[in-house]
Amino acid sequence: HVRELQEMGVSASGRVMRVDPAEGVLATAREMHSDLIVLGTHAQSATQAFWSASMTPTILHRAHASFLLAPAEGSPRPYG
C-alpha cells in the first residue's frame, strides 16, 4: 500500500520489524518525528477495534502523535 500512496503524492514509508508491535510503532513514530500514526483494523467497527486491539491502549497512553484507526477494505463503516 505504501507504493500506492506514494503514487498519489503522499509521503509514506513502511517497515517490517520483529519486535513487540506497540513498542515498534512507538519507537518508529519517535524516530521519524511522526505527526500521525495510522493503525489498520479488521474489526467489525472502528470502536470495537480501538478497544479490543491489544496494542491500542499502549499506543493511546504513550504516543506523542495523533493516531487514526483505518478499517480494512470491505470492513463495515459505522457511519454508512
Side-chain angles (χ1 to χ4, degrees), residues 3-80:
R3 183 177 298 160
E4 293 172 24
L5 290 169
Q6 291 170 338
E7 288 171 357
M8 292 186 303
V10 175
S11 176
S13 63
R15 290 184 182 185
V16 176
M17 302 170 69
R18 292 180 185 250
V19 297
D20 172 75
E23 294 301 325
V25 167
L26 292 167
T28 301
R30 279 192 304 272
E31 177 185 315
M32 298 180 73
H33 306 283
S34 299
D35 296 320
L36 178 67
I37 299 169
V38 179
L39 301 173
T41 176
H42 294 285
Q44 293 297 317
S45 71
T47 304
Q48 287 175 328
F50 180 81
W51 294 114
S52 66
S54 60
M55 69 179 186
T56 300
T58 300
I59 293 172
L60 173 66
H61 294 293
R62 295 182 45 206
H64 297 289
S66 298
F67 68 94
L68 170 70
L69 291 174
E73 188 174 331
S75 294
R77 302 289 192 252
Y79 301 108

